[in-house]
């Protein structure tokens, strides 16, 4: 119920703003990472895409590596395939990646690290939302005979799992932090997991944007009042 009211109120606000500002609305882009993790082994590949609400022309994936060189996909790294940038990874590809428009607008930034070691922690590259179920894994370059792994957060042991993975059924802000895992004598590097509040998801925003683009002229005023009245009655 609360979520429905929130969506309706936001839709009303968008319509109201369009009347007062000539419909000039812009939505930020977001960087999509597939697979969704921040740590990778050497020679693995990652797909990076810019998800933009509205006009997606002119957006591209850029990065800043440890060498301090700012560059975009399909220059001296990555291969542009449709709307995605495919990056075969080596350690020098470790760095910060984001989307950028021709006018200088930025998306969220994602830190990607490439390791030549034997074990890495597998945690989401993008922030996770409070209440979501999240699975953290101890990932091995060569699968050991014993998958039992110890999971640590901020240096303190959380639990030991015989499957090599740990599930948090409903994450909270207190779960945010640095995670590592160990198996026998192998220890992974640290991986940061970010937890955000229970905000609306991308799908909610896309639905609102879809309906908003259908509204224009006098119809906008009528639908705006209908939405406002419905919202008041429901909330």
């Amino acid at each position: 119920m609360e979520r429905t009211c929130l969506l309706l109120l936001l839709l009303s606000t968008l319509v109201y703003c369009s009347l007062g500002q000539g419909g000039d609305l812009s939505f930020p882009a977001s960087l999509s990472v597939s697979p969704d993790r921040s740590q990778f082994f050497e020679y693995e590949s990652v797909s990076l895409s810019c998800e933009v609400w509205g006009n997606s022309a002119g957006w591209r994936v850029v990065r800043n590596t440890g060498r301090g060189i700012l560059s975009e996909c399909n220059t001296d790294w990555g291969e542009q395939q449709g709307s995605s940038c495919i990056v075969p990874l080596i350690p020098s590809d470790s760095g910060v990646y984001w989307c950028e428009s021709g006018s200088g607008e930025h998306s969220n930034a994602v830190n990607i690290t490439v390791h030549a070691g034997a074990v890495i922690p597998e945690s989401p590259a993008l922030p996770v939302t409070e209440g979501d179920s999240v699975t953290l894994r101890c990932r091995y370059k060569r699968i050991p005979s014993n998958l039992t792994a110890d999971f640590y957060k901020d240096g303190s042991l959380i639990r030991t799992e015989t499957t090599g993975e740990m599930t948090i059924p409903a994450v909270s802000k207190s779960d945010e932090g640095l995670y590592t895992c160990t198996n026998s004598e192998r220890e992974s590097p640290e991986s940061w997991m970010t937890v955000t509040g229970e905000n609306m998801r991308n799908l909610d925003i896309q639905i609102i944007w879809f309906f908003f683009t259908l509204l224009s002229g006098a119809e906008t005023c009528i639908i705006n009042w209908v939405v406002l009245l419905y919202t008041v009655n429901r909330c």
Side-chain angles (χ1 to χ4, degrees):
M1 178 67 72
E2 291 180 358
R3 188 179 179 191
T4 300
C5 292
L6 178 61
L7 289 173
L8 290 170
L9 284 170
L10 182 53
L11 177 57
S12 301
T13 301
L14 289 175
V15 176
Y16 176 81
C17 291
S18 72
L19 292 174
Q21 301 178 19
D24 183 20
L25 288 175
S26 61
F27 287 81
S30 64
L31 177 64
S32 173
V33 182
S34 181
D36 180 14
R37 46 191 172 91
S38 58
Q39 309 274 346
F40 290 85
F41 285 122
E42 188 177 19
Y43 306 126
E44 288 188 312
S45 291
V46 62
S47 174
L48 306 171
S49 304
C50 296
E51 297 181 351
V52 184
W53 295 276
N55 185 9
S56 60
W59 286 87
R60 74 272 191 194
V61 178
V62 298
R63 77 177 189 184
N64 191 344
T65 63
R67 295 176 295 173
I69 300 175
L70 187 66
S71 58
E72 64 181 84
C73 178
N74 220 28
T75 51
D76 60 341
W77 62 274
E79 179 183 350
Q80 195 70 38
Q81 294 184 7
S83 61
S84 299
C85 177
I86 310 300
V87 188
L89 296 166
I90 56 177
S92 61
D93 289 314
S94 296
V96 181
Y97 292 74
W98 67 92
C99 296
E100 189 172 304
S101 71
S103 60
E105 295 175 289
H106 294 266
S107 74
N108 59 303
V110 174
N111 190 12
I112 291 177
T113 308
V114 185
H115 299 280
V119 57
I120 58 174
E122 188 174 306
S123 62
L126 302 175
V128 295
T129 306
E130 285 186 304
D132 283 354
S133 175
V134 176
T135 298
L136 307 177
R137 296 178 178 86
C138 208
R139 196 159 179 268
Y140 306 98
K141 204 165 192 177
R142 296 180 179 83
I143 299 177
S145 56
N146 180 14
L147 293 176
T148 299
D150 297 323
F151 288 87
Y152 295 81
K153 176 182 176 291
D154 299 329
S156 299
L157 178 66
I158 304 174
R159 70 182 78 157
T160 300
E161 296 287 354
T162 58
T163 58
E165 61 181 44
M166 178 186 72
T167 297
I168 305 173
V171 295
S172 64
K173 194 65 178 177
S174 63
D175 293 312
E176 183 173 272
L178 285 170
Y179 287 83
T180 59
C181 61
T182 61
N183 175 274
S184 302
E185 296 181 357
R186 298 173 178 176
E187 181 176 357
S188 75
E190 295 179 325
S191 180
W192 179 269
M193 184 175 73
T194 301
V195 180
T196 63
E198 195 173 357
N199 299 324
M200 289 190 305
R201 316 208 185 277
N202 290 347
L203 179 60
D204 296 330
I205 297 175
Q206 291 182 53
I207 291 173
I208 291 173
W209 176 253
F210 172 75
F211 281 107
F212 174 73
T213 56
L214 297 179
L215 308 179
S216 61
E219 295 174 352
T220 300
C221 297
I222 296 171
I223 296 175
N224 185 36
W225 279 109
V226 171
V227 171
L228 282 171
L229 290 173
Y230 180 76
T231 300
V232 170
N233 290 332
R234 296 283 291 179
C235 299

